[in-house]
Amino acid sequence: MQYSSGTPPVQRLIEEFSRLPGIGPKSAQRLTYHLIRMPAEQAENLASAILSVKTRITLCSKCFHITENDPCTICSDTTRDQSKICVVEQPLDVMALEKTSTYDGLYHVLHGVISPINGIGPDDLKVKPLLQRLIDNDVTEIIMATNPNLEGEATSMFIHKLIEPSGIKITKPARGLPVGGDLEYADEATLGRAIEGRQNF
Amino acid sequence: MTGNRVYKTKAIVLKQMPIGETNRIITFYTRSFGKVAAVARGVRRPGSKFGGSLEILNHVQASIARGRSLDNVNECVVIESYQNLRKNLTAIAEGIYIAELVDTFGEDRSPNFSLFDMLLETLSNLDRLEHREFWILWFEFRLLHVSGFLPEFVSCVECGNGLDRTDHVFDPIAGGVLCPDCVNNYGTDQSWNVSVSALTVLRFFQRSLNLNLRSDSSDPYVDDLVDVKAFLRTYMRYIAERDLKSTGFLDLVRFKES
Ligand SMILES: [Zn+2]
Ligand SMILES: [Zn+2]
């Protein structure tokens, strides 16, 4: 959307906020009026934080996690177990799993999930780069940690079928993750237990 | 719809969209009210009161409260979750395709008991895992019937004359198959050829519309579904005026399975 110089700045900010996920017109107004009352310095910090996210954050060329440096800190940490890759839907899932401090392998972020009714298939996700990683590296275990719902399971089953002929061990987090919930909202204890007690796919 | 703020109905979960922090918009096909979208609050949190009840393709008993813009799901209890289907990737893709058809052809807030019942029946057929392609074609055929798009396959749609047991020209604008004489007078540039193999199954379906096909009905036809599958795919695309979104993934997993 392009704004003419005539669009009032308050209205413009409200409209920008309401384009964010989960922000309705009411919340957008509330945020805008909060910003108006905010000290100038704090507002500048916020603006520069937004800008530096856009200019300095990229995707890791190995695991596709969000990062400032490529490869990311996880991929370049040589103390981590390079033979395990945990496949997740989105960067927030990496952050949730890292908080448990129980998993010491690498990750692969798919950036979505197969959602046929929305026209999203494997080619819209980072599936091919995952297969390439398995060819280029000595990986012995893949942990399929997609969300425990129909589309997450279908995504895992699809990738499982692709990897199965290679003979690589494929596991998934143990039950304990309640069906229907999203990984990123699981508490640390549940998630930690689930990843420790993972089972064969 | 009644004046009550809360309504209860049997429903199938067709699709979900994340919204806000932990909510999803659930699209149901309900028995009593047709297609209904409602927000399930907190459903993305593990331990939410909904548990796994709002999973796509579940048959549920739902209690929904009318809201100012969107309705809200109050309660949802699973009646059937089709566990065999859920363990088979191709069956999942087929179930989602059926859900997309109902999402495309089903009307908002307008009940169609036949459509609901055949959706339920088809999910049960898919869950038995046998002859799934046949049951999907039978569903597509009846979907055309209940939504008023069913063409004529038995006799020429223009002159009514009987047709030889051979390939014929199908014209979607004329609304059916044309005899060789009528092709010249009434055929349009939208027409295409339909094989005798496809016509045999389509005529069997047409004769069977008032029957409840049982699992052994499919036996004589399971080996010869290629043409009728292609015909119904083309005709569905013509009616929907677009490719259905889930066909890409369905074709991919069917190909990998074969
Ligand atoms: Zn990385
Ligand atoms: Zn004729």
Side-chain angles (χ1 to χ4, degrees):
Chain A
M1 208 188 302
Q2 282 296 312
Y3 295 95
S4 67
S5 52
T7 308
V10 172
Q11 193 199 327
R12 185 178 151 192
L13 190 56
I14 292 174
E15 281 173 22
E16 288 294 343
F17 272 130
S18 53
R19 289 159 68 182
L20 299 174
I23 309 253
K26 282 241 175 63
S27 309
Q29 263 180 21
R30 227 173 31 237
L31 287 167
T32 301
Y33 290 119
H34 179 79
L35 281 178
I36 291 171
R37 290 193 304 269
M38 193 183 259
E41 192 193 333
Q42 208 183 331
E44 272 161 27
N45 284 342
L46 175 64
S48 83
I50 292 172
L51 275 178
S52 61
V53 161
K54 278 323 287 177
T55 53
R56 290 176 40 204
I57 299 288
T58 55
L59 296 185
C60 171
S61 59
K62 291 188 169 163
C63 71
F64 299 95
H65 188 37
I66 49 175
T67 178
E68 269 188 63
N69 302 303
D70 184 22
C72 71
T73 49
I74 297 171
C75 287
S76 28
D77 182 349
T78 51
T79 67
R80 297 188 75 115
D81 184 345
Q82 312 284 316
S83 71
K84 285 196 285 241
I85 294 181
C86 177
V87 178
V88 296
E89 293 180 15
Q90 44 156 349
L92 284 170
D93 299 330
V94 175
M95 295 172 192
L97 282 159
E98 280 300 282
K99 265 195 251 161
T100 69
S101 309
T102 46
Y103 175 67
D104 69 342
L106 305 178
Y107 293 93
H108 190 89
V109 185
L110 295 171
H111 288 274
V113 68
I114 293 174
S115 180
I117 205 165
N118 294 308
I120 300 169
D123 287 348
D124 302 303
L125 312 175
K126 307 287 184 193
V127 173
K128 281 199 182 113
L130 172 64
L131 302 179
Q132 194 58 45
R133 274 181 91 181
L134 302 183
I135 293 167
D136 297 343
N137 301 280
D138 215 355
V139 177
T140 56
E141 183 182 354
I142 297 282
I143 302 145
M144 297 300 316
T146 53
N147 286 321
N149 54 43
L150 183 72
E151 291 178 342
E153 296 284 355
T155 306
S156 279
M157 286 160 88
F158 182 80
I159 293 174
H160 179 260
K161 273 186 192 271
L162 295 178
I163 297 176
E164 205 176 16
S166 71
I168 297 173
K169 180 176 168 193
I170 307 168
T171 57
K172 60 180 184 179
R175 247 170 290 179
L177 281 184
V179 175
D182 274 14
L183 209 64
E184 62 174 290
Y185 297 114
D187 66 89
E188 286 160 36
T190 307
L191 196 50
R193 245 182 292 123
I195 200 81
E196 273 176 339
R198 61 186 178 270
Q199 49 199 217
N200 278 326
F201 194 93
Chain B
M1 199 168 283
T2 62
N4 283 343
R5 223 182 75 77
V6 175
Y7 54 100
K8 290 181 180 175
T9 175
K10 290 197 162 81
I12 304 283
V13 179
L14 297 180
K15 61 176 183 181
Q16 310 182 332
M17 275 279 288
I19 178 177
E21 281 275 302
T22 61
N23 310 334
R24 286 189 208 276
I25 296 182
I26 312 291
T27 304
F28 296 100
Y29 195 75
T30 69
R31 179 163 163 80
S32 314
F33 308 101
K35 203 166 83 171
V36 168
V39 180
R41 297 189 186 277
V43 65
R44 294 168 67 195
R45 249 180 236 290
S48 122
K49 66 172 176 182
F50 295 114
S53 65
L54 292 166
E55 282 293 285
I56 296 169
L57 303 182
N58 271 1
H59 177 206
V60 298
Q61 171 77 41
S63 158
I64 301 171
R66 284 208 260 173
R68 258 173 305 172
S69 50
L70 276 164
D71 292 1
N72 287 290
V73 187
N74 275 359
E75 275 178 6
C76 187
V77 180
V78 178
I79 298 171
E80 171 64 61
S81 60
Y82 309 106
Q83 286 302 311
N84 299 323
L85 180 157
R86 273 168 218 282
K87 292 187 190 99
N88 181 309
L89 183 59
T90 312
I92 292 175
E94 288 163 340
I96 289 176
Y97 171 63
I98 295 294
E100 188 186 3
L101 285 177
V102 174
D103 187 40
T104 306
F105 286 83
E107 286 179 58
D108 286 332
R109 310 250 167 209
S110 165
N112 184 331
F113 300 127
S114 310
L115 179 55
F116 181 85
D117 291 344
M118 60 194 241
L119 170 59
L120 213 56
E121 189 191 308
T122 304
L123 289 174
S124 298
N125 286 337
L126 293 181
D127 195 51
R128 277 195 295 278
L129 299 180
E130 284 196 332
H131 300 174
R132 298 195 310 268
E133 291 201 353
F134 178 87
W135 294 119
I136 287 172
L137 298 170
W138 174 230
F139 177 85
E140 289 175 325
F141 191 89
R142 285 185 296 168
L143 179 63
L144 294 173
H145 178 62
V146 300
S147 40
F149 290 112
L150 191 63
E152 172 62 44
F153 298 111
V154 176
S155 42
C156 171
V157 67
E158 285 297 342
C159 69
N161 285 343
L163 296 164
D164 297 336
R165 264 190 72 83
T166 170
D167 298 1
H168 284 286
V169 170
F170 175 83
D171 195 295
I173 294 169
V177 176
L178 295 169
C179 74
D181 290 341
C182 290
V183 169
N184 296 328
N185 296 330
Y186 302 103
T188 70
D189 60 351
Q190 299 286 313
S191 65
W192 69 86
N193 280 311
V194 51
S195 74
V196 64
S197 147
L199 283 170
T200 304
V201 184
L202 292 165
R203 287 169 187 161
F204 166 72
F205 282 160
Q206 198 150 355
R207 285 197 304 277
S208 309
L209 270 178
N210 297 318
L211 308 170
N212 264 329
L213 290 189
R214 295 200 331 264
S215 46
D216 53 356
S217 312
S218 56
D219 291 348
Y221 299 101
V222 283
D223 295 330
D224 202 10
L225 298 177
V226 176
D227 287 0
V228 66
K229 203 166 92 180
F231 171 82
L232 284 171
R233 175 73 65 87
T234 311
Y235 188 58
M236 287 290 176
R237 190 191 295 131
Y238 175 85
I239 303 278
E241 295 178 331
R242 60 174 175 83
D243 277 317
L244 287 149
K245 289 180 190 153
S246 59
T247 53
F249 186 64
L250 176 60
D251 293 345
L252 180 66
V253 293
R254 275 183 174 167
F255 176 75
K256 288 208 185 287
E257 195 183 53
S258 60

